[in-house]
Amino acid sequence: MDWVTQVTERLRATGGRMTAQRRLILETLAQCTDHPTAEEIYQRARQRAPDLNLSTVYRTLRWLEELGVVGSQRFEGERPQDRFDPAISANPDHHHFRCRLCNAIIEFPAPLLDLLKRDFIAQYGGTIESASLTFYGLCQSCLQKVEAYGPLSFNPDAILNHPR
């Protein structure tokens, strides 16, 4: 079952309505692999529905986040804004790597974090509802470019746009 169908079923089970605009926002987010901001989702969704309002996107994303079907993340090194991704997935406990040069985001599982959570609960009690781990550095492609063209002391755009 795809993510949009899962969300639709969860909304119906909680008495929520699946409007055309909500479906469009969900479908747009489901197609994204780059953890878009609300503004980026809005721009992509407007290609199919030019009358869509940015405030509708924000309200819908916050509502979906409250329902636990959308997650948000803020990354260092950019203006303070949330980036969104589906929270219902085969691997809901995923973590992130953010390249400081090209801003690529790579999702990855962290099985050792599960061990840390179990140890925490064993030692301190309680429950852990969520965990987030983010690594920052250079992705493989950017690292190769930096190694080939010198340190970051000059314009990063020159590294990113330089043909290899």
Side-chain angles (χ1 to χ4, degrees), residues 7 26 28 34 38 69 72-73 76 93 95 104 118 121-122 137 140:
V7 172
L26 283 171
T28 302
D34 58 347
V69 297
S72 67
Q73 176 83 25
E76 290 179 14
D93 244 358
H95 306 283
R118 283 193 300 271
I121 292 169
Q140 183 178 16

Side-chain angles (χ1 to χ4, degrees), residues 25-47:
I25 292 165
L26 283 171
E27 289 171 352
T28 302
L29 181 58
Q31 294 169 356
C32 297
T33 59
D34 58 347
H35 293 70
T37 64
E39 291 88 356
E40 291 167 342
I41 294 168
Y42 166 71
Q43 291 299 330
R44 294 170 191 177
R46 280 198 55 204
Q47 295 174 6

Side-chain angles (χ1 to χ4, degrees), residues 61-74:
L61 289 170
R62 291 301 174 210
W63 178 62
L64 293 169
E65 190 173 23
E66 287 175 14
L67 291 174
V69 297
V70 169
S72 67
Q73 176 83 25
R74 287 190 180 187

Side-chain angles (χ1 to χ4, degrees), residues 24-111:
L24 174 61
I25 292 165
L26 283 171
E27 289 171 352
T28 302
L29 181 58
Q31 294 169 356
C32 297
T33 59
D34 58 347
H35 293 70
T37 64
E39 291 88 356
E40 291 167 342
I41 294 168
Y42 166 71
Q43 291 299 330
R44 294 170 191 177
R46 280 198 55 204
Q47 295 174 6
R48 289 179 42 200
D51 59 333
L52 182 67
N53 291 315
L54 180 58
S55 61
T56 301
V57 174
Y58 273 107
R59 277 193 316 274
T60 300
L61 289 170
R62 291 301 174 210
W63 178 62
L64 293 169
E65 190 173 23
E66 287 175 14
L67 291 174
V69 297
V70 169
S72 67
Q73 176 83 25
R74 287 190 180 187
F75 295 100
E76 290 179 14
E78 64 182 16
R79 69 183 180 114
Q81 60 185 345
D82 288 335
R83 294 188 164 272
F84 297 90
D85 68 338
I88 298 175
S89 68
N91 186 10
D93 244 358
H94 65 273
H95 306 283
H96 303 93
F97 169 87
R98 174 75 185 253
C99 179
R100 290 203 182 274
L101 190 55
C102 70
N103 294 320
I105 298 170
I106 300 169
E107 292 183 355
F108 63 94

Side-chain angles (χ1 to χ4, degrees), residues 2-19:
D2 73 336
W3 180 69
V4 175
T5 304
Q6 286 180 297
V7 172
T8 301
E9 287 182 5
R10 186 175 288 187
L11 294 180
R12 287 187 183 135
T14 60
R17 284 187 19 214
M18 180 54 74
T19 65

